[in-house]
Amino acid sequence: MLVEKKTWPCIVKLAYKSPDPSKVKEHLYLVGKGVTYDTGGISLKIGGAMRGMSRDKLGACGLAGFVLATALVEEPSIDITCILAFERNSIGPNALLPDE
């Protein structure tokens, strides 16, 4: 039986360009992991270990915040390219999560 997956992985690219290209001294390349919910896949977590698994995306979220903060202060000395990978690691395409 073919089952349609409810969620799909995606790649997000964020870029910050200095407002004054002549002042750029460095180009940062950043990569962040964003597992939006980690059930453990085939090795299902039990005994309350699922609590907090929605926080496995903090690497990607932290970098998104860093790029946003850099843009808000209009930092002139750097350019940033940031790649964020997001995925939901579930045991199956229709798996329910404890907080759904």
Side-chain angles (χ1 to χ4, degrees):
M1 178 170 141
L2 185 62
V3 180
E4 183 180 347
K5 187 173 177 168
K6 292 195 296 188
T7 61
W8 292 95
C10 69
I11 301 291
V12 176
K13 179 180 178 183
L14 302 176
Y16 169 77
K17 300 290 182 191
S18 169
D20 186 352
S22 66
K23 292 185 179 179
V24 173
K25 296 178 181 157
E26 201 168 4
H27 192 126
L28 300 179
Y29 296 91
L30 307 168
V31 178
K33 177 183 83 167
V35 178
T36 59
Y37 209 99
D38 187 5
T39 64
I42 200 67
S43 178
L44 191 63
K45 295 172 177 73
I46 60 170
M50 292 277 286
R51 273 184 249 122
M53 287 298 104
S54 63
R55 294 189 294 266
D56 203 14
K57 61 185 170 284
L58 295 181
C61 294
L63 290 179
F66 175 72
V67 174
L68 175 61
T70 304
L72 289 174
V73 299
E74 297 182 349
E75 173 58 44
S77 65
I78 60 172
D79 283 341
I80 301 171
T81 300
C82 183
I83 305 296
L84 309 174
F86 291 97
E87 167 64 309
R88 177 173 158 176
N89 181 19
S90 298
I91 200 163
N94 293 313
L96 294 176
L97 303 175
D99 55 355
E100 284 189 316

